[in-house]
Amino acid sequence: MARIVLSDDEARDVVEAALHAICTAGTRYTLPLPLIGPLADAADRFDPPLLAYVLAALGSTYGKAAIPLAKRFLDHPHPEIRREAEDALTEIRWQYRHEPIRGAFPDAPD
């Protein structure tokens, strides 16, 4: 699915369907960061609705290594993207709620 999303040959509706499928899987399973990381790295290619899917999937990795990938969108010009980045960080933080994750939230005390 990630190959479909990153392909330059696919129509937008195909890319959106693939991202939706990835996000749907993320509601039931922990997604592997090696699958989602390249999508976040290529985020500049996506318009805000598609980027929202990428950030939702990033939160479903529950990986500490996903924190910097999500944090870079906290200052995005679109409020929906900032909210999705916050949600992704919240999902990751929830997984590690019994241990501190430094830098996961910029305003949180260390």
Side-chain angles (χ1 to χ4, degrees):
M1 295 264 182
R3 287 188 190 132
I4 291 171
V5 173
L6 295 173
S7 171
D8 290 330
D9 299 330
E10 298 299 337
R12 186 188 184 285
D13 58 336
V14 173
V15 171
E16 184 172 13
L19 284 170
H20 183 265
I22 291 169
C23 286
T24 300
T27 63
R28 188 158 198 153
Y29 304 101
T30 299
L31 299 176
L33 186 57
L35 171 72
I36 306 305
L39 300 178
D41 291 339
D44 296 334
R45 299 173 53 179
F46 302 120
D47 59 34
L50 296 181
L51 183 53
Y53 282 118
V54 172
L55 288 167
L58 197 58
S60 295
T61 67
Y62 302 106
K64 290 180 183 179
I67 291 171
L69 298 173
K71 280 180 66 174
R72 76 176 230 194
F73 297 101
L74 290 174
D75 294 324
H76 196 275
H78 293 275
E80 176 186 351
I81 300 305
R82 291 193 301 269
R83 188 171 36 257
E84 287 292 342
E86 290 169 1
D87 289 349
L89 290 167
T90 298
E91 285 292 318
I92 296 165
R93 184 174 177 228
W94 178 254
Q95 180 72 17
Y96 299 97
R97 64 191 173 277
H98 298 295
E99 60 182 272
I101 301 176
R102 296 189 187 276
F105 291 91
D107 297 334
D110 286 336

